[in-house]
């Protein structure tokens, strides 16, 4: 096995464990190569040979892909452990992976807390992105209770580049330290300690961060859900059992293999008056009181169910085709989406070819319109200066713009450019 520099995974064994993309960028910097080159080298020396169509993972979305739980991240961690001699596992993610399906949608790109970065700088510690900052449910720093940032506070650029020319903690675009804020914090920026919508996710990272702290021999989630379902069947005649709990449990008992998402389990845990960790670890017995103490009219805002919108795609398609035929000029994709009462993303996903044609037709129409405006502006400028010269006087460009803008109504810079071109041609010596 090829050897790499023994760069350690920061925060290992704690809830502040470093994310894999953060480690890859730090390690790439110390190896003197770009992040994409370092990732390719790690995959080349791995035992698993990825197919050629897997190379897209190393593009713009490569960092987000590495932050999730998938074959690429597992192979990368194993290869790095064998090559550096350091442990590379992320126990909280491993714990979630054992119990929850499709947690990738709960994990996003780089976000950070400037105050955490500033503290790392003050004690001379290496700056790094924590895995907890990748969790979409966590919108505030668990330590400082301020909103996490996802763009540089100076230039507004997202930290998505695979470049490793700077150490982690500096903006890849303007090199501004990410620990710097444009405006100082005010008391309103700091949330109260009791106001934390992601406390259940934080508990997972705190209690499952150390290897061996959470046993692997516990009953799995499906057994737990089925046990709760059997309990509810026995208690079917007792109306005090929360109906929402009954509905959720029956749903998960039927579909847990394909619909066991993290957000759904968070709702279930809330309705059962349990913590998410208790539900996932299954380290408790079903307490009848837990199923009767919570009886809510609605869930908290961060756990509310999103209403599914059912659309008749064929009707929408015919409606859009008819609308396009009636338009004199090709509309934009946004205008079509507003008319059909759908989003542009829906059109691009559901009617990809139609959406592509709409965009191309509008772009071609705009290009023809701009060309026609330029021709009209040049013709008007030539006519204006010709008439003025025949009258025996000279006219300034400012006068030409004032007259022609009122006569033609053409855009400002189209007229100015045409006037400048004609004026320079007439006065060429």
């Amino acid at each position: 096995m090829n050897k790499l520099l023994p760069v350690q995974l920061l925060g290992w064994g704690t809830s502040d464990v470093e994310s894999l993309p953060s480690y890859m960028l730090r390690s790439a910097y110390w190896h003197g190569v770009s992040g994409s080159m370092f990732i390719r080298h790690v995959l080349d020396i791995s035992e698993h040979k990825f197919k050629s169509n897997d190379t897209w993972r190393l593009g713009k979305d490569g960092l987000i892909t590495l932050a999730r739980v998938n074959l690429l991240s597992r192979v990368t961690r194993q290869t790095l452990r064998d090559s550096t001699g350091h442990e590379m596992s992320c126990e909280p993610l491993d714990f979630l992976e054992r119990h929850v399906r499709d947690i990738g949608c709960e994990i996003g790109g780089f976000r950070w807390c400037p105050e955490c970065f500033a503290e790392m700088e003050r004690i001379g510690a290496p700056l790094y992105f924590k895995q907890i900052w990748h969790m979409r449910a966590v919108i505030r720093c668990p330590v400082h209770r301020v909103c996490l940032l996802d763009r540089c506070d100076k230039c507004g650029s997202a930290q998505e580049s695979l470049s490793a020319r700077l150490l982690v903690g500096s903006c890849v675009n303007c090199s501004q330290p990410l620990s710097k804020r444009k405006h100082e914090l005010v008391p309103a920026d700091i949330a109260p300690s009791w106001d934390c919508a992601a406390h259940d996710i934080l508990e997972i990272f705190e209690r499952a961060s150390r290897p061996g702290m959470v046993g692997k021999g516990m009953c799995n989630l499906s057994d737990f859900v089925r046990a709760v379902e059997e309990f509810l069947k026995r208690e079917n005649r007792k109306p005090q059992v929360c109906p929402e709990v009954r509905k959720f449990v029956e749903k998960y008992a039927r579909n847990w293999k394909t619909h066991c998402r993290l957000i759904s389990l968070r709702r279930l845990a809330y309705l059962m008056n349990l913590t998410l960790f208790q539900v996932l670890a299954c380290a408790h017995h079903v307490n009848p009181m837990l199923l009767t103490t919570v009886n809510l009219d609605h869930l908290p805002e961060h756990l509310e169910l999103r209403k599914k919108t059912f659309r008749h795609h064929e009707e929408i398609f015919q409606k859009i085709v008819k609308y396009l035929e009636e338009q004199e000029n090709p509309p934009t994709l946004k205008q079509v989406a507003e008319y059909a009462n759908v989003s542009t993303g829906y059109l691009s996903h559901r009617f990809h070819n139609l959406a592509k044609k709409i965009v191309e037709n509008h772009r071609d129409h705009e290009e023809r319109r701009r060309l026609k405006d330029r021709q009209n502006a040049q013709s008007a400028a030539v006519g204006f200066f010709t008439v003025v010269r025949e009258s025996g006087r000279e006219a300034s460009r400012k006068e030409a713009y004032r007259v022609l803008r009122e006569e033609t109504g053409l855009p400002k810079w189209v007229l100015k450019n045409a006037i400048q071109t004609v004026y320079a041609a007439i006065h060429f010596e």
Side-chain angles (χ1 to χ4, degrees):
M1 174 65 70
N2 295 6
K3 297 298 182 180
L4 299 173
L5 293 178
V7 180
Q8 293 186 357
L9 185 72
L10 300 177
W12 183 80
T14 71
S15 58
D16 293 333
V17 60
E18 183 178 13
S19 71
L20 182 56
S22 172
Y23 175 86
M24 298 297 281
L25 286 181
R26 282 200 311 113
S27 191
Y29 177 84
W30 290 114
H31 283 82
V33 297
S34 67
S36 59
M37 184 179 296
F38 183 74
I39 295 172
R40 289 182 184 278
H41 176 70
V42 172
L43 295 181
D44 287 342
I45 65 177
S46 66
E47 296 180 357
H48 184 90
K49 300 302 179 184
F50 287 91
K51 299 178 181 179
S52 58
N53 58 1
D54 289 333
T55 56
W56 67 268
R57 299 173 185 270
L58 306 180
K60 182 179 179 181
D61 297 330
L63 299 182
I64 299 179
T65 304
L66 284 172
R68 296 171 175 170
V69 180
N70 48 46
L71 178 61
L72 178 70
S73 62
R74 286 195 294 269
V75 170
T76 302
R77 289 183 185 274
Q78 179 66 36
T79 305
L80 290 172
R81 188 184 70 175
D82 296 340
S83 302
T84 64
H86 292 298
E87 185 57 56
M88 293 291 165
S89 63
C90 181
E91 295 298 323
L93 285 187
D94 292 341
F95 173 75
L96 288 172
E97 183 190 13
R98 290 198 297 269
H99 298 283
V100 185
R101 293 179 181 271
D102 301 327
I103 67 171
C105 59
E106 307 291 342
I107 301 175
F110 277 142
R111 293 184 300 164
W112 63 92
C113 169
E115 282 61 46
C116 283
F117 276 165
E119 289 183 354
M120 295 176 191
E121 289 177 343
R122 282 197 294 269
I123 64 176
L127 275 62
Y128 68 97
F129 293 98
K130 304 176 183 179
Q131 180 65 46
I132 189 68
W133 293 343
H134 286 274
M135 307 302 294
R136 297 185 190 276
V138 181
I139 60 175
R140 291 183 176 271
C141 173
V143 179
H144 300 97
R145 305 196 298 277
V146 295
C147 286
L148 299 177
L149 303 183
D150 61 356
R151 293 184 176 275
C152 174
D153 219 14
K154 180 180 180 180
C155 67
S157 60
Q159 305 304 298
E160 297 175 344
S161 174
L162 287 170
S163 171
R165 61 184 181 86
L166 298 172
L167 276 171
V168 170
S170 299
C171 176
V172 297
N173 182 46
C174 66
S175 303
Q176 168 84 1
L178 299 181
S179 59
K180 304 296 183 182
R181 287 185 179 272
K182 182 183 295 186
H183 305 289
E184 293 186 1
L185 290 174
V186 297
D189 295 328
I190 303 175
S193 58
W194 59 85
D195 183 15
C196 180
H199 63 88
D200 50 350
I201 302 296
L202 301 181
E203 183 187 21
I204 295 291
F205 272 75
E206 291 171 358
R207 301 190 63 173
S209 59
R210 288 183 176 272
M213 292 294 290
V214 181
K216 297 183 179 180
M218 300 178 182
C219 61
N220 58 40
L221 183 63
S222 61
D223 294 336
F224 167 71
V225 173
R226 287 166 183 163
V228 175
E229 182 191 30
E230 292 177 1
F231 172 82
L232 291 178
K233 288 180 179 179
R234 293 196 302 269
E235 303 293 323
N236 191 35
R237 296 182 179 181
K238 296 184 179 181
Q240 67 269 25
V241 175
C242 178
E244 290 296 324
V245 173
R246 188 185 303 278
K247 181 176 67 175
F248 269 70
V249 170
E250 289 176 353
K251 173 185 175 182
Y252 295 149
R254 293 193 308 268
N255 305 320
W256 71 271
K257 288 185 178 181
T258 56
H259 295 83
C260 187
R261 295 181 58 198
L262 185 59
I263 184 64
S264 301
L265 292 175
R266 294 178 70 197
R267 296 188 188 107
L268 178 61
Y270 183 86
L271 289 171
M272 294 184 66
N273 200 18
L274 299 170
T275 66
L276 178 63
F277 180 81
Q278 287 176 320
V279 171
L280 292 179
C282 303
H284 61 280
H285 299 286
V286 179
N287 187 339
M289 292 297 295
L290 296 177
L291 303 178
T292 60
T293 53
V294 180
N295 191 4
L296 303 172
D297 296 331
H298 58 83
L299 291 166
E301 183 178 355
H302 66 282
L303 295 180
E304 285 184 352
L305 284 167
R306 295 182 179 180
K307 294 183 179 179
K308 293 184 178 180
T309 303
F310 297 94
R311 297 188 176 95
H312 196 294
H313 306 306
E314 185 62 29
E315 290 183 359
I316 294 176
F317 181 82
Q318 296 299 334
K319 181 179 180 181
I320 292 175
V321 170
K322 184 178 179 181
Y323 172 75
L324 295 175
E325 292 175 350
E326 295 173 351
Q327 301 306 304
E328 182 177 352
N329 298 322
T332 64
L333 187 64
K334 184 177 180 181
Q335 291 174 331
V336 175
E338 290 177 351
Y339 173 79
N341 196 25
V342 295
S343 66
T344 55
Y346 168 83
L347 294 179
S348 300
H349 173 71
R350 180 60 60 177
F351 311 119
H352 176 71
N353 292 333
L354 178 62
K356 183 178 179 181
K357 186 176 180 181
I358 291 173
V359 172
E360 291 176 350
N361 289 344
H362 177 72
R363 183 175 61 242
D364 294 342
H365 170 74
E366 287 297 302
E367 183 61 32
R368 291 193 298 270
R369 183 186 62 79
R370 287 191 291 267
L371 178 61
K372 186 176 180 180
D373 286 345
R374 288 194 294 269
Q375 292 174 344
N376 291 339
Q378 290 178 359
S379 298
V382 169
F384 174 81
F385 284 111
T386 300
V387 171
V388 168
R389 298 200 78 176
E390 289 177 353
S391 64
R393 69 183 186 88
E394 292 290 336
S396 66
R397 286 165 288 184
K398 187 175 181 180
E399 179 186 355
Y401 172 75
R402 185 175 62 252
V403 173
L404 295 180
R405 183 64 186 271
E406 183 176 352
E407 290 181 356
T408 63
L410 291 171
K412 175 180 178 180
W413 289 106
V414 173
L415 267 178
K416 283 196 170 185
N417 291 335
I419 291 172
Q420 177 63 30
T421 301
V422 174
Y423 185 84
I426 291 176
H427 293 81
F428 177 76
E429 295 181 358

